[in-house]
Amino acid sequence: MSRRSLLLLFLLGLAVPLAIAQFQSLPGYMDSDYYFGGGVQLARGNGFTEPYLWNHLADPRGLPTPSHAYWMPLASLLAAAGMWLTGQTTFASARIGFILLAALVPPLTSLLAFRLTSNRAASLLSGLLACFPIYYAPFLPVPDNYAIYMLLGIAFFLLFSNLQSPTSNLQSPITFLLLGLVSALASLARSDGLLWLGMSLLAAVWFASKQISKSTTQADSHTSTSVRLPPPASRLPPSASCLLPSAFRLLPPALCVLAGFFLLMSPWYARNLAVFGSFMAPGSSRALWLTSYNDTFAYPASQLTMTRWLASGWDAILLARAKAGGVNLLNAFAAQGGIFLFPFILAGLWILRRDLRVRFAALAWILLLAAMTLVFPFAGPRGAFFHAGAALQPMWWSLAPVGLDAAVAWARRRGRFDDRAFVVFRGALVGIAALMTVAIFAIRVLPNWEREDGHYAGVETLLLQQGAPSDGIVIVRNPPGYNIVTGRAAIALPTGGIASVLAVAERYDARYLVLEPLGTTGDLRELYDHPDRFPEFIYLGEADDDRLYEIVR
């Protein structure tokens, strides 16, 4: 690819998220709220702490609490870097790094496609598809892991390409060290980033096996063409290396991967060990035993055990995974496959099925689908599969033009279309991607992007009018969102109804409760509709359909 083409892709890749960002003055959803809030804490010198509690899985003692006990810190670190750069803890400063990373995705996708196909036109098309990422477009300009994961996925497959080059023997130690660093960055971005450590180790095993096979072939060839003389006692014949245990000879590449991984991850594991008493944060381990998505907010979290999970019954366990599989496959078709790109991606997969990079991508996707269906059947369909799949998205954009060209070539062999067909259909593919990106922007961003966080400003105004002290803690559905809008400490609304709310209020000395019309069920719905029937709460008023209560203790 020419530098001019890559520069144009970068500029277009910068223009699209910048245009979308003009309509996003707030993060817009809880994940981004959390990462932005974590960045604010770091930029203000408060370290890895947070004045809010978005779930109860880590069972903290009080506020402020150690941060990133469930989600990982890389997006917050990137948000903080933008704030440190500008000297302002604003949302505009926090997203500088994310917009720049999003701009890098199209040119690097084009570079990856060229490594796969050596076709400049198809590679340019791949980069243009990355400029108009359809369902991913609204999320690239805000603090989250989408652009980070896309770039790390590109880095993995570009590094893997190095292992297939003639000079791979000389490059392999550095390449595997870099694969370890990429795996560490993926793990610092998301918990499922450990998948890329596994893929990197698998690449190390593949490379070592290839080198063993090559050495064995050369040794056998040397033995068959040379005079067979008894070797000196101090030397082994070349073929004797084949007698060494294979596992021993697989170690060096794998050790390079692990060295790179732990070089970056060790400080974070040391922090977790000091704060939580374990290398992994406690919140993610309890997520294994959810029986519904609402269990994410269960209080107390100690009830989330394997015994309780088994007690829910195998019918419920299997049904949840069947539903998750259906939703995840629909996600693969619509969001990851872009609907109209999906058949071309499948065709590209089949055409390049012998390419090891494509095989590794397919394997990573299958493992990811299995994890988000069988292990995390509630988080997966609620966005985790969409999030984690971003790492493979550049590969799919690289394969779609391969499938398109094959389809056009097939039609031309049957007398349809003329020489201009390739150009016309490539242009049509970009045009459809651009139109669908605009449509998703109009549906997802324009009407109500700021509704998720912005309505809390009215609740806070009402709270202050009622004379609430500034240190009064609020129980609310989206604590990070409430905190970044108002600056007030907040705790997640627990599942379990009024009894759980009162228990949480007692545990964390919370004084106020906010109920929103959507998602309020059971006796909390009764409280929302008939506040006068519950003497444990004093109704303070309503703002934008959100109802505010003081908790009587």
Side-chain angles (χ1 to χ4, degrees), residues 1 96 122 127 135 175 230 257 345 350 356 360 362 370 381 387 389 399 488:
M1 295 298 297
I96 290 174
Y135 286 94
T175 299
V257 171
I345 293 171
W350 178 254
L356 275 171
F360 266 64
H387 271 83
L399 292 175
R488 185 180 294 274

Side-chain angles (χ1 to χ4, degrees), residues 258-271:
L258 293 174
F261 180 80
F262 284 108
L263 182 66
L264 279 185
M265 287 302 296
S266 293
W268 185 249
Y269 286 153
R271 177 264 184 181

Side-chain angles (χ1 to χ4, degrees), residues 161-444:
S161 297
N162 290 344
L163 299 177
Q164 297 178 293
S165 70
T167 59
S168 59
N169 283 338
L170 298 176
Q171 297 174 347
S172 61
I174 296 176
T175 299
F176 285 117
L177 182 69
L178 291 174
L179 281 172
L181 294 174
V182 167
S183 303
L185 288 171
S187 298
L188 284 171
R190 292 181 52 83
S191 298
D192 50 62
L194 288 173
L195 168 69
W196 294 100
L197 174 61
M199 296 302 297
S200 296
L201 290 172
L202 184 60
V205 171
W206 166 80
F207 179 81
S209 300
K210 184 180 75 168
Q211 296 305 108
I212 292 171
S213 177
K214 182 178 178 181
S215 299
T216 302
T217 302
Q218 291 175 346
D220 291 343
S221 175
H222 175 80
T223 302
S224 63
T225 59
S226 61
V227 178
R228 296 177 181 268
L229 296 175
S234 60
R235 294 185 57 192
L236 291 173
S239 58
S241 62
C242 300
L243 300 177
L244 294 174
S246 295
F248 178 79
R249 284 179 283 153
L250 295 178
L251 282 178
L255 286 178
C256 289
V257 171
L258 293 174
F261 180 80
F262 284 108
L263 182 66
L264 279 185
M265 287 302 296
S266 293
W268 185 249
Y269 286 153
R271 177 264 184 181
N272 285 346
L273 187 61
V275 173
F276 302 118
S278 61
F279 290 114
M280 305 299 290
S284 55
S285 61
R286 283 180 170 147
L288 293 171
W289 311 122
L290 305 183
T291 60
S292 70
Y293 179 76
N294 287 337
D295 279 352
T296 307
F297 308 97
Y299 181 84
S302 57
Q303 66 184 284
L304 302 177
T305 63
M306 185 172 66
T307 301
R308 175 179 178 270
W309 178 74
L310 290 172
S312 67
W314 284 106
D315 288 347
I317 290 171
L318 296 176
L319 180 61
R321 281 145 183 81
K323 289 181 177 179
V327 174
N328 287 336
L329 289 174
L330 181 61
N331 179 298
F333 168 72
Q336 298 175 2
I339 303 176
F340 74 102
L341 291 177
F342 187 75
F344 301 123
I345 293 171
L346 289 182
L349 273 168
W350 178 254
I351 293 167
L352 296 182
R353 64 190 182 278
R354 298 189 185 280
D355 190 300
L356 275 171
R357 293 162 294 188
V358 175
R359 291 185 176 186
F360 266 64
L363 176 61
W365 185 86
I366 291 170
L367 293 175
L368 184 61
L369 175 66
M372 294 301 174
T373 299
L374 303 176
V375 184
F376 302 107
F378 304 109
R382 293 291 291 256
F385 185 55
F386 178 63
H387 271 83
L392 293 164
Q393 203 61 36
M395 177 61 79
W396 308 149
W397 288 323
S398 299
L399 292 175
V402 176
L404 174 69
D405 285 357
V408 174
W410 178 86
R412 290 205 63 217
R413 287 195 299 270
R414 283 154 180 76
R416 301 173 185 173
F417 311 132
D418 56 24
D419 292 342
R420 298 169 297 175
F422 289 101
V423 175
V424 170
F425 280 98
R426 286 169 182 166
L429 209 66
V430 175
I432 295 172
L435 288 174
M436 289 189 66
T437 298
V438 171
I440 294 299
F441 164 75
I443 295 170
R444 182 67 178 83

Side-chain angles (χ1 to χ4, degrees), residues 105-122:
V105 171
L108 292 179
T109 296
S110 183
L111 185 59
L112 172 63
F114 188 73
R115 288 286 189 93
L116 283 170
T117 65
S118 300
N119 185 318
R120 294 184 183 277

